[in-house]
Amino acid sequence: MVTGSRVAPVARASLQGNYAGVASRLVAFALDLVISSLVFTIALAAVNFSAGIVIGHPVHWSRSNSVVVAVISGVWLFVYFAYSWATTGRTPGMGLLGIRVVRADGAHAEPWRAVVRTLILPVSVALFFVSLPLILVQREHRAPHDLVAGTAVVYGWDARAARWRLLARSHGRPAPFPVAQPSATGDATSAGQPKS
């Protein structure tokens, strides 16, 4: 039973479902840019190497000296973000920060919302000095691409349950209460409840 002064710490420990803050969103976006760029660079190096073997002399395609590579890079970024948001609601960077994209009402976002969100994302980035104050002043911290797509970014993990699981594992005991397990839509449900 939680009473008195312990209510506030418990509430702070469980962030699941709360709107993600600006710092979490920016760090996740920066991580995604690094991850997607790294994957694209490795793939481009593999293509350069393979083409060099087939042609018989070194090939050095890059984003800076080839319009085709620059276009493919743009398509890759679109696929990276849109596919991640449409399937799991989170990109790899968002997964590392424990945040995910949901519909504005909290339900799982449909794939078309992920596509719209991805198409408007460059506008939000280009208008960064308009987007940032907009995120800061709203309780939901929604960027222009969230407003257009009808989405929000929330914390998708329960810090309190994760701490209990970690402590239970370190002592070789089961967790002292049923912990939340993600359902097929990514929403958390209690371990004892049926998944709908």
Side-chain angles (χ1 to χ4, degrees):
M1 182 172 157
V2 179
T3 59
S5 63
R6 292 194 57 197
V7 172
V10 169
R12 278 196 304 270
S14 180
L15 295 174
Q16 189 171 17
N18 287 342
Y19 295 109
V22 175
S24 299
R25 292 180 63 141
L26 287 175
V27 171
F29 184 66
L31 283 171
D32 282 322
L33 290 179
V34 169
I35 292 167
S36 63
S37 197
L38 184 63
V39 169
F40 186 80
T41 301
I42 291 169
L44 186 60
V47 168
N48 283 339
F49 179 75
S50 301
I53 290 173
V54 171
I55 295 172
H57 59 82
V59 176
H60 299 290
W61 289 321
S62 70
R63 287 178 235 194
S64 60
N65 67 6
S66 173
V67 174
V68 173
V69 174
V71 169
I72 292 171
S73 174
V75 170
W76 161 246
L77 281 173
F78 175 82
V79 169
Y80 177 88
F81 284 101
Y83 180 78
S84 297
W85 289 333
T87 55
T88 62
R90 65 182 74 197
T91 58
M94 294 174 84
L96 289 171
L97 270 283
I99 59 178
R100 67 186 180 104
V101 175
V102 295
R103 242 174 29 198
D105 63 3
H108 183 71
E110 300 90 348
W112 70 266
R113 291 181 191 274
V115 171
V116 170
R117 192 173 198 274
T118 306
L119 289 172
I120 304 299
L121 179 62
V123 176
S124 289
V125 172
L127 301 174
F128 178 76
F129 293 106
V130 174
S131 301
L132 184 63
L134 185 64
I135 294 170
L136 289 170
V137 299
Q138 298 175 75
R139 184 179 67 85
E140 302 91 4
H141 305 295
R142 294 171 71 197
H145 53 281
D146 289 311
L147 295 170
V148 172
T151 58
V153 179
V154 298
Y155 289 103
W157 51 271
D158 186 348
R160 183 171 175 248
R163 186 175 69 230
W164 281 109
R165 283 193 300 271
L166 181 64
L167 287 171
R169 268 189 239 131
S170 68
H171 294 295
R173 290 180 257 169
F177 59 88
V179 294
Q181 301 294 326
S183 69
T185 63
D187 300 324
T189 59
S190 175
Q193 294 176 350
K195 295 176 184 173
S196 55

